[in-house]
Amino acid sequence: MTRTRWPNQTKHFHIYGGNPMAVCTSYEEPKLYSHSHKYERLSSLMTEEIPLQDVRNIGIIAHIDAGKTTTTERILYYAGVIHKMGTVDDGNTTMDWMEQEQERGITITAANTTCYWNHKKINIIDTPGHVDFTMEVERSLKVLDGAVIVLCATSGVQSQTETVWRQADRYHVPRIAFINKLDRLGANFERVLGEIHERLGANAAAIQFPNASEDKFHAIVDIVHRKYRIFKDDLGNEIEDTVIPEEFKAKTEELRNILIERLADIDDTIAVKYLEEQEISVDDIKKAIRRGVVSNEFLPVLCGSSLKNKGVQMLLDAVADYLPSPLDVPPVSGINPDTKKTITREVSPKAPFSALIFKVATDPYVGKLFYTRIYSGTLKQGSQVYNASERVKERIAKIVVMHSNKQEIVDQAEVGEIIALVGLKESKSGNTLCALDHKILIENMRIPEPVVSMSIEPKTKADQDKLGLTMRKFLDEDPSLKVEYDQETAQTIISGMGELHLEIIIDRMKREFGLETQVGRPEVAYKETLTRKVTGVVGKHIAQSGGRGQYGHVVIDAEPAEEKGKGIVFINKIRGGAIPKEYIKPIEKGIREAALNGVLAGYPVVDFTVTLVDGSYHEVDSSELAFQLAAKNALREALNKGKSVFLEPIMDIEVISPEAFMGAVLGDLNQRRAKIVNLGSRGNLKTARCDVPLAEMFNYVNAIRSLTQGRATFSMEPSYYDEVPAYIVDKIIGAREEQETSKRN
């Protein structure tokens, strides 16, 4: 962007986000670092363009309550973006701007902003930690070049930590780790470092360690530079660098050797010097760490306490030093939508324009905001682009840089930027934008399957149309939300990632759109599937009404999918013209439509393969509709013969409780059909990792509070679908039939 420039500097100072900071010329001699905050508007500080190698696009990812938003708030403070630090408890943090976020003290929607540190421009996305909003993490990681994974020094690696780690693996996002909350009771840096190895399988090593934990924590030992950093004031503005005390020297050298050994395993330069017992300099180590991080082979681990304002400046140093720029990650690849050939785009402002819309949000003043990552080329305000996903042309009315929920208009944006667009008409989340004469279609992000459903209807008939318009806006924003209309009961069914997800949607309808609704209780999103292969299943549709008739006849084989999660696979094996080609697509459409409502209780059918093997047609009476209806009849018959069964979502749940209550907790979980996966301990607390059906976990928060006097915590996330036990099936069918009957009455 043309507005991004740096101020002049003298040899006595270096700029930390626009705040002059005294330089320590020798680590042997104690010096005092003192921030003299100058909170001018960032754009007025800039006098030189930031080169692409100095741009960092990062996300803050973690389990809920690990301290992501607090860490981001401190980053913005030390970088000079804000002059006063807010707290999650007070509901006044910069990134949690929604009313629901401020009231509940959790992050619901990913928010992004920009700051500057050590001559680096850092675009930051603060993501939610709650499993119900995992789609926000998914789409953020799709477009990021690097990430900071935050861990709680007390709770360690939790279930959602593992989930976001796997998401980062899926998109090959390089990471650094920050062990937070070292001031908390029970904090243990070494234990969490061990869990990073054991539970995440990371090639990790500490590059810092704390002088102590809990209320004695006031300094950090820098292993790479061999220095001792003491925090002199409560705001963390004054940091004194001095020599490492004698009591920490042995541990520093031990951890430094471990760091070098782990780097030697992945870096030839370090390996040669290590084996030849040559001196390995600070510069050697830092370059090796960066190479290891960029190649996703190494995880440097830092530490601190964001709430107590300790360690965040060093985390920013690590972001600037070790995480990749857009030039360090592979260029984006996609397919040409016309030729279907794989193509790539050079990471250059002069390359043909390509970008991915990863999020859509509605602003009350400017309308829809299309959050976009630019992968190549330059985009100018007012220009026309091609939406390769929808195959339409779009005009860019405005380009804005987001600072949480505030916008700053810019004339143009270049490769590597994360911006928001205004004025698009047909575009949606996950769509690719590109140059009109250089088309490319970039792979969309993964969209998780919903696990909870509820019925929703407006309180007045006058609001019926308003409900439809409102739901369309939410569907544009949130790909993990599903909406369908039940023709039999005349009800709208919404499905999402959890109770809280749907609860927030209902709350936003009321606050943002003034729409009062009545909702049914949350229901499990059951599914059906085949259990055995059936062959030669016949489906016919024959009707005669005096004029032209209807004739469709198909023969199919159906079998369970070899791999779960593959959805519906349709294979055409018609040879010799038994069925004309123009009727094949309607047959597939009939199969997919029939799969929306299974034969047991009307739940969707998933993970099966249908092969069209035979059939016949009538030269006059056959039609697309006739074959579509014949295919529906064939699938229903196949499901009956193939002994279809219910599948239910299984949750991965982790409970952390004082030992005195763990027996009662496990007894309650057993009654909920839980399978105990692992029992362990964290300090004075006991942990239990279980697989539990979602149907048994509604309102569990109240149950566990009662069992443990409010002293236990738990987290859960969708894990997999599994067959429902036979004794539960009759209850599900009975409840479904009773519900349908009451709705009709």
Side-chain angles (χ1 to χ4, degrees), residues 186-247:
N188 190 317
F189 176 81
E190 286 77 12
R191 176 176 55 78
V192 179
L193 183 60
E195 289 182 4
I196 291 173
H197 288 287
E198 296 164 13
R199 297 182 64 171
L200 301 180
N203 178 31
I207 61 173
Q208 302 171 351
F209 69 90
N211 72 305
S213 296
E214 302 177 3
D215 58 352
K216 296 180 181 179
F217 170 54
H218 71 276
I220 288 175
V221 180
D222 187 327
I223 297 169
V224 177
H225 294 95
R226 288 189 174 109
K227 65 181 179 179
Y228 193 64
R229 309 197 73 177
I230 305 170
F231 298 91
K232 305 292 287 186
D233 67 330
D234 291 339
L235 289 178
N237 288 334
E238 297 181 3
I239 306 170
E240 182 183 3
D241 280 359
T242 183
V243 294
I244 297 174
E246 198 65 37
E247 60 187 293

Side-chain angles (χ1 to χ4, degrees), residues 334-353:
I335 61 169
N336 185 311
D338 297 327
T339 65
K340 306 302 181 186
K341 291 183 178 179
T342 301
I343 50 178
T344 59
R345 286 283 181 264
E346 181 188 359
V347 184
S348 167
K350 296 181 180 180
F353 170 72

Side-chain angles (χ1 to χ4, degrees), residues 38-233:
K38 295 183 179 179
Y39 295 100
E40 295 97 342
R41 181 177 170 81
L42 279 175
S43 56
S44 67
L45 281 172
M46 306 304 128
T47 59
E48 294 179 5
E49 291 191 11
I50 298 294
L52 196 56
Q53 63 264 28
D54 290 334
V55 174
R56 303 287 182 268
N57 293 314
I58 70 163
I60 312 293
I61 60 175
H63 184 92
I64 189 171
D65 201 35
K68 297 178 303 301
T69 301
T70 302
T71 301
T72 307
E73 189 78 359
R74 271 57 183 169
I75 286 173
L76 297 180
Y77 173 74
Y78 293 121
V81 178
I82 57 176
H83 70 278
K84 183 181 179 181
M85 291 180 279
T87 65
V88 173
D89 291 340
D90 292 339
N92 60 351
T93 57
T94 304
M95 305 302 273
D96 283 353
W97 57 269
M98 291 176 63
E99 291 180 9
Q100 294 89 342
E101 293 177 317
Q102 294 167 356
E103 291 169 358
R104 298 166 187 264
I106 61 171
T107 301
I108 293 171
T109 182
N112 67 289
T113 189
T114 300
C115 68
Y116 300 84
W117 188 264
N118 276 8
H119 293 221
K120 303 293 190 294
K121 177 179 181 179
I122 305 175
N123 298 315
I124 304 171
I125 298 183
D126 177 32
T127 66
H130 197 287
V131 63
D132 283 22
F133 309 108
T134 189
M135 183 63 212
E136 293 289 312
V137 184
E138 191 81 29
R139 57 184 171 191
S140 297
L141 287 172
K142 170 69 177 176
V143 299
L144 291 171
D145 300 325
V148 176
I149 184 162
V150 182
L151 302 103
C152 174
T154 301
S155 302
V157 176
Q158 298 168 275
S159 57
Q160 188 68 5
T161 314
E162 295 182 62
T163 298
V164 298
W165 183 267
R166 290 193 297 269
Q167 288 173 307
D169 277 344
R170 185 181 303 125
Y171 296 115
H172 310 290
V173 177
R175 281 142 275 178
I176 61 178
F178 179 64
I179 298 178
N180 189 27
K181 300 189 177 183
L182 280 163
D183 60 299
R184 285 279 190 93
L185 186 66
N188 190 317
F189 176 81
E190 286 77 12
R191 176 176 55 78
V192 179
L193 183 60
E195 289 182 4
I196 291 173
H197 288 287
E198 296 164 13
R199 297 182 64 171
L200 301 180
N203 178 31
I207 61 173
Q208 302 171 351
F209 69 90
N211 72 305
S213 296
E214 302 177 3
D215 58 352
K216 296 180 181 179
F217 170 54
H218 71 276
I220 288 175
V221 180
D222 187 327
I223 297 169
V224 177
H225 294 95
R226 288 189 174 109
K227 65 181 179 179
Y228 193 64
R229 309 197 73 177
I230 305 170
F231 298 91
K232 305 292 287 186
D233 67 330

Side-chain angles (χ1 to χ4, degrees), residues 264-338:
D265 288 339
I266 60 165
D267 192 278
D268 291 341
T269 302
I270 297 294
V272 169
K273 290 192 174 185
Y274 178 71
L275 293 172
E276 294 180 358
E277 298 184 354
Q278 298 179 29
E279 177 65 25
I280 300 175
S281 67
V282 170
D283 191 51
D284 289 333
I285 294 175
K286 290 181 70 173
K287 287 180 178 179
I289 292 174
R290 178 172 174 77
R291 288 192 293 266
V293 170
V294 169
S295 64
N296 245 326
E297 296 178 297
F298 181 68
L299 180 77
V301 181
L302 298 92
C303 62
S305 171
S306 297
L307 185 63
K308 298 298 183 181
N309 311 314
K310 294 177 174 66
V312 177
Q313 297 99 317
M314 282 131 276
L315 175 62
L316 272 166
D317 287 341
V319 168
D321 289 341
Y322 304 134
L323 286 178
S325 74
L327 292 171
D328 295 317
V329 296
V332 70
S333 63
I335 61 169
N336 185 311
D338 297 327

Side-chain angles (χ1 to χ4, degrees), residues 67 121 163 175 226 298 454 464 491 510 606 655 657 695:
K121 177 179 181 179
T163 298
R175 281 142 275 178
R226 288 189 174 109
F298 181 68
M454 66 168 58
Q464 188 65 52
Q491 284 184 314
K510 181 178 178 180
V606 297
V655 179
S657 169

